[in-house]
Amino acid sequence: MASSTDTPAQPDRPPRPNTAFRQVRGRRSPAEFAALVRRAAREIGERVSCDARYVGRVEAGEIRCPNYAYERVFLHMFPGRTLTDLGFAPRSAVRGRGARPAAPPGAVPVAAYGHPYDPLNHEESDVLRRAFMTGTGATVAAAATLGTLGIATDASAAARRPGTSEAAAVEEAVRRIRLLDDKHGADGLYRRAAEPLRAAYALLDAGATRQTTAERLHSGAGELAISVGWLAHDSGRFDDARSHYAEALATARMTGDAGLEAHAFCNTAFLARDAGRPREAVRAAQAAQRAARPLGSPRLMSLLALREAGGWAGLADRTGCEQALVRAQALFGRGTCEADPEWMSFYGEAELAGLEAQCWSTLGDWHRATRHARRAARLQDPHFSRNIALYTAELADDLARDGHPDEAATAGLRVLDLLAQVQSSRIHTMLAGTARVLLPHRRASAVADFLDRHASLPRPRRG
């Protein structure tokens, strides 16, 4: 949607359609063009909430001049053109000399950011603040490797059309991000993963020399968008995650990639559940199952049934949840096969138990949730440090709500020990909920120890 700092047409002056902007959109639909705007924003570190409605308002002349964030995005998308070339009115003409208040004492000078101080531009100010946020600890060292993945930039991609080496680099970027996330969690990785994603889509724009390479690039870029979306999801940036998943879904739809489409819908369902949209979670999981059915992977269908079960649990539909869980277990029991996607390496008995625990927890059956969470933590491969912390946090919360404060505190302390190497806002949120439940039991020594250590825990810094 448009920011409050976009300048609308004057109420006493009928809007004049912006035909120049309509021409640059070309044959793309407003939604497709909006997706390009959001992608261009990410390339330069901006964050805009562009959608089809915003594009329509611009083309109708309702927005005479965009805010500063949109201005930089548009000028990045169309180098060499001015706002006037794109059909907008000059900023001075729509705001006037007296419209912009003077900078308050201590404001950042104009030269620092390239534009005058504008206290109304909350969206842009937030971008500038986040630009200086950095992570600390093990994840920073791990994330530094993301800059050495060997994906060409858009400038070098323009010099020669991408081939198999570039496609392989994109695929390696996906694997590296997943490995780092499994070990360290998402909070310190998200920002640093944006550069490989930007470069991957620049390669797509350059065009591959062969059809097989183009297909690999599309698939790799889509999987990379999902991986970066997951980093946003796990670090609490739900809007960013939704945008990345939608980008992956659009890539899948353009190329007819059923596997990528199933993956994008799978993550969309998980995000919808976490964001409190259970009905959307059910629909997305069912769409994922329709896309995945021809692929011939029972394990994938099992995971997607679990995603559906999570949505039904959020709707408090115990019957629907149990039916989906039965399907998930039966499909899982068929074992692995060559058709299983590479990205499903995390999905084993531990993940099955962990997702079941989440369903029962959502339904308020703490006893069943505790049993499955305990099994998940016990079965998890030591490589997946983030998941061990996640399942143990789930166990702590279920125990606390099931009336076992001492056991819950002991599990919570194990999670706190793991947070030295794992940074996940999702786990921090779960621990905060557990702490609130345990507060009335503070007199117990284990509980007091957990609460004291949790209170001293630094807030996660999202990278």
Side-chain angles (χ1 to χ4, degrees):
M1 64 176 63
S3 165
S4 60
T5 53
D6 291 309
T7 305
Q10 299 295 330
D12 58 347
R13 180 187 305 170
R16 179 180 300 173
N18 187 336
T19 56
F21 198 85
R22 175 63 186 87
Q23 288 176 352
V24 299
R25 173 162 69 86
R27 300 177 62 182
R28 307 178 188 91
S29 71
E32 290 170 337
F33 188 77
L36 291 178
V37 173
R38 295 194 301 271
R39 190 173 81 194
R42 290 195 295 273
E43 291 176 358
I44 60 174
E46 290 290 359
R47 182 179 179 182
V48 297
S49 303
C50 189
D51 56 13
R53 180 174 175 271
Y54 180 86
V55 174
R57 292 186 65 203
V58 170
E59 294 178 359
E62 295 179 17
I63 295 175
R64 297 181 62 206
C65 187
N67 68 21
Y68 288 109
Y70 275 107
E71 176 182 354
R72 281 193 292 276
V73 174
F74 293 148
L75 297 183
H76 170 68
M77 293 177 69
F78 306 106
R81 301 194 192 190
T82 65
L83 284 182
T84 304
D85 294 333
L86 297 174
F88 293 108
R91 195 173 301 282
S92 59
V94 296
R95 290 197 172 182
R97 185 173 181 178
R100 184 178 296 117
V108 179
V110 171
Y113 296 148
H115 63 82
Y117 169 80
D118 187 347
L120 298 178
N121 199 339
H122 301 300
E123 177 180 44
E124 182 171 59
S125 299
D126 183 57
V127 170
L128 296 174
R129 283 195 300 271
R130 287 184 287 109
F132 292 97
M133 292 177 66
T134 56
T136 57
T139 45
V140 172
T145 65
L146 292 179
T148 61
L149 290 170
I151 299 180
T153 64
D154 52 349
S156 60
R160 69 179 181 87
R161 300 179 71 183
T164 56
S165 60
E166 286 79 12
V170 173
E171 292 162 352
E172 176 59 25
V174 175
R175 296 187 186 100
R176 186 75 61 84
I177 288 173
R178 288 173 184 162
L179 287 171
L180 292 173
D181 174 53
D182 289 339
K183 191 68 176 174
H184 300 287
D187 283 9
L189 301 175
Y190 174 56
R191 291 288 176 209
R192 293 158 182 85
E195 174 61 20
L197 180 60
R198 184 201 64 78
Y201 275 94
L203 292 174
L204 286 184
D205 291 338
T209 54
R210 297 181 179 180
Q211 181 62 28
T212 54
T213 304
E215 291 173 356
R216 284 181 64 187
L217 281 172
H218 275 90
S219 178
E223 290 292 343
L224 191 55
I226 292 174
S227 292
V228 176
W230 167 248
L231 296 179
H233 180 171
D234 195 44
S235 57
R237 300 175 174 89
F238 288 178
D239 288 343
D240 288 358
R242 189 180 182 89
S243 177
H244 288 305
Y245 293 160
E247 187 170 46
L249 182 59
T251 302
R253 289 284 177 81
M254 284 189 294
T255 57
D257 189 332
L260 180 60
E261 180 176 347
H263 192 184
F265 271 128
C266 174
N267 279 45
T268 299
F270 198 10
L271 174 65
R273 189 209 69 170
D274 284 354
R277 298 190 299 270
R279 198 170 299 281
E280 180 185 329
V282 171
R283 291 198 301 267
Q286 291 173 341
Q289 290 170 76
R290 288 193 295 272
R293 197 163 287 119
L295 301 178
S297 170
R299 280 290 167 93
L300 175 57
M301 294 297 291
S302 173
L303 176 61
L304 299 178
L306 282 169
R307 295 287 187 245
E308 183 182 341
W312 290 124
L315 290 168
D317 188 332
R318 189 182 185 97
T319 300
C321 179
E322 289 180 337
Q323 290 175 346
L325 286 176
V326 169
R327 290 204 316 275
Q329 292 161 353
L331 288 161
F332 186 90
R334 297 185 188 179
T336 59
C337 69
E338 292 184 0
D340 295 342
E342 181 182 350
W343 60 266
M344 287 189 62
S345 59
F346 71 93
Y347 185 53
E349 289 186 81
E351 182 74 5
L352 173 64
L355 292 176
E356 281 197 70
Q358 291 174 12
C359 288
W360 293 119
S361 179
T362 302
L363 289 169
D365 191 334
W366 313 118
H367 182 70
R368 285 195 182 187
T370 295
R371 177 159 53 87
H372 287 287
R374 197 188 302 277
R375 175 177 169 79
R378 185 177 70 251
L379 292 175
Q380 183 57 68
D381 186 320
H383 165 75
F384 295 92
S385 302
R386 191 273 318 282
N387 280 0
I388 293 175
L390 176 67
Y391 301 150
T392 308
E394 176 72 35
L395 174 61
D397 196 61
D398 293 335
L399 284 166
R401 296 174 191 277
D402 196 33
H404 302 284
D406 288 331
E407 290 183 73
T410 300
L413 289 168
R414 289 201 298 271
V415 179
L416 292 175
D417 290 338
L418 289 168
L419 291 184
Q421 66 181 97
V422 173
Q423 295 186 30
S424 168
S425 294
R426 190 160 55 124
I427 295 173
H428 278 267
T429 300
M430 293 172 68
L431 284 179
T434 304
R436 288 192 294 271
V437 175
L438 290 179
L439 197 57
H441 305 279
R442 188 181 183 91
R443 291 184 179 181
S445 58
V447 173
D449 190 11
F450 167 73
L451 292 175
D452 290 342
R453 283 188 58 187
H454 179 265
S456 64
L457 194 67
R459 293 183 62 185
R461 301 185 67 181
R462 305 191 301 181

